[in-house]
């Protein structure tokens, strides 16, 4: 059952952290982490890979954030000590070329699959997705279940939490164009936000693999307890039909749990590796 949330909630969750990131000092990935361009035929995406092992962990960024969001708090390198870890910038982010449009979910998960096929040394991967990136890896798991070992969904966008109309999408795009005009990939994905929610609404349950969902219960930026209760409800629904599902709530982090509490993310991934 869809919740009657408006663009105010949409912007507080999806847009506020993005607009804040436009204004803060930029973080640079250390030079000792090699960058590589993966040629998809139509365009090239920049990726980073570290480590080796029996497990491959692939990180999917949220709307407006780049692969450095996993490196800066130390999660990427810590996990690379015993595993292969992969992160990348989607089309139009950083030095990744934009690629064909529209930048919708079917295209994005096909490009994610190209990254996995090209870079992963294991047949299956553990996918970690934040916010809108969480909905992308969820979609990938449904499309390519045979390639997924486990999922970590961090504050994953959910179609049953907000009712989006065209005016909401327009407001989201306008806000990004005003505050972050150079974020072309972000703008192009935001232009598909309504379509993304419609796509997610068609998805069946996740394949029966271990899944952990991390959710913020921090009361900030106008978020109420009613909002939190409904947010936890839709996050819990991600586990429908699964034999191994865990919902972990934290009141110590905002929407970007991997930035505020990287150890919580690290521990959750370690749990999936057991």
């Amino acid at each position: 059952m869809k919740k009657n949330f408006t663009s105010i909630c949409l912007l507080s969750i999806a847009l506020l952290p993005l607009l804040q990131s436009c204004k803060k000092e930029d973080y640079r990935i250390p030079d000792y982490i090699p960058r590589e361009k993966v040629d998809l035929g139509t365009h090239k995406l920049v990726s980073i890979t570290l480590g080796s092992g029996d497990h491959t962990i692939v990180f999917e960024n949220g709307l407006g954030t780049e692969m450095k969001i996993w490196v800066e708090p130390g999660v990427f390198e810590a996990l690379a000590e015993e595993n292969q870890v992969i992160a990348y910038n989607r089309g139009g982010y950083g030095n990744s070329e934009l690629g064909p449009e529209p930048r919708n979910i079917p295209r994005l998960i096909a490009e994610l699959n190209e990254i996995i096929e090209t870079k992963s040394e294991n047949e299956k991967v553990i996918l970690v997705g934040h916010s809108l990136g969480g909905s992308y890896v969820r979609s990938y798991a449904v499309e390519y279940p045979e390639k997924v070992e486990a999922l970590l969904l961090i504050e994953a966008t959910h179609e049953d939490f907000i009712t989006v109309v065209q005016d909401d999408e327009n407001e989201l795009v306008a806000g990004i164009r005003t505050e972050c005009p150079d974020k072309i990939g972000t703008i192009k994905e935001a232009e598909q936000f309504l379509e993304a929610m419609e796509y997610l609404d068609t998805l069946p349950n996740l394949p029966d693999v271990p899944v952990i969902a991390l959710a913020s219960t921090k009361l900030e930026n106008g978020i109420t307890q009613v909002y939190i209760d409904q947010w936890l409800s839709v996050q819990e629904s991600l586990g429908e039909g699964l034999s191994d599902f865990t919902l972990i709530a934290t009141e110590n982090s905002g929407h970007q749990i991997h930035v505020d509490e990287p150890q919580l993310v690290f521990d959750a991934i370690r749990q999936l590796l057991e």
Side-chain angles (χ1 to χ4, degrees):
M1 181 176 66
K2 287 190 176 293
K3 315 300 182 189
N4 187 24
F5 278 76
T6 68
S7 59
I8 294 175
C9 290
L10 169 63
L11 293 174
S12 69
I13 291 296
L15 187 55
L16 183 58
L18 168 61
L19 300 187
Q20 290 172 339
S21 72
C22 289
K23 298 174 174 61
K24 74 176 185 178
E25 184 177 350
D26 206 25
Y27 170 79
R28 295 180 61 86
I29 296 174
D31 291 338
Y32 59 79
I33 299 180
R35 297 160 184 76
E36 181 179 353
K37 287 191 174 182
V38 179
D39 191 346
L40 305 188
T42 54
H43 60 298
K44 296 178 180 179
L45 301 181
V46 178
S47 70
I48 53 176
T49 304
L50 275 183
S52 183
D54 295 335
H55 302 279
T56 296
I57 303 163
V58 181
F59 295 90
E60 187 69 76
N61 324 309
L63 181 69
T65 60
E66 300 178 17
M67 59 187 179
K68 60 191 175 185
I69 200 75
W70 307 105
V71 181
E72 183 175 6
V75 175
F76 190 81
E77 292 182 77
L79 289 166
E81 293 179 3
E82 298 179 351
N83 311 278
Q84 183 191 32
V85 290
I86 301 169
Y88 75 108
N89 283 335
R90 295 192 297 273
Y93 287 70
N95 291 326
S96 287
E97 298 169 359
L98 179 60
E101 297 184 46
R103 306 302 296 165
N104 56 21
I105 289 181
R107 189 179 304 281
L108 294 176
I109 63 174
E111 293 180 4
L112 170 58
N113 188 56
E114 289 288 333
I115 293 290
I116 291 171
E117 287 287 309
T118 302
K119 303 300 297 180
S120 177
E121 62 185 23
N122 292 293
E123 291 184 2
K124 293 188 176 184
V125 299
I126 296 174
L127 290 168
V128 181
H130 170 246
S131 195
L132 194 58
S135 68
Y136 295 162
V137 301
R138 174 183 158 205
S139 301
Y140 181 91
V142 170
E143 183 68 22
Y144 302 95
E146 73 283 357
K147 297 183 179 181
V148 177
E149 179 182 352
L151 292 171
L152 175 59
L153 304 173
I154 306 171
E155 286 275 287
T157 302
H158 199 290
E159 69 280 6
D160 284 349
F161 187 64
I162 47 177
T163 300
V164 183
V165 297
Q166 191 61 54
D167 285 347
D168 300 326
E169 183 182 283
N170 294 343
E171 185 176 355
L172 178 64
V173 173
I176 299 170
R177 286 188 181 277
T178 299
E179 300 294 336
C180 313
D182 60 328
K183 288 185 174 286
I184 304 302
T186 306
I187 292 169
K188 293 301 180 181
E189 288 180 21
E191 289 175 349
Q192 294 294 310
F193 197 93
L194 173 58
E195 291 77 6
M197 295 304 102
E198 293 172 346
Y199 181 92
L200 293 173
D201 199 37
T202 69
L203 292 182
N205 291 342
L206 286 165
D208 194 12
V209 299
V211 176
I212 295 177
L214 296 183
S216 169
T217 59
K218 191 172 185 177
L219 298 174
E220 62 177 1
N221 301 321
I223 293 175
T224 65
Q225 188 59 51
V226 171
Y227 178 104
I228 292 297
D229 292 343
Q230 293 178 330
W231 179 239
L232 291 176
S233 176
V234 298
Q235 294 300 303
E236 185 72 42
S237 72
L238 293 168
E240 291 178 1
L242 303 185
S243 58
D244 186 356
F245 174 79
T246 304
L247 173 62
I248 300 174
T250 175
E251 62 182 11
N252 300 317
S253 300
H255 185 52
Q256 293 188 332
I257 297 175
H258 49 311
V259 175
D260 296 337
E261 284 186 280
Q263 186 64 44
L264 186 61
V265 173
F266 179 81
D267 291 343
I269 296 174
R270 292 296 303 173
Q271 181 177 330
L272 291 172
L273 291 168
E274 293 177 353

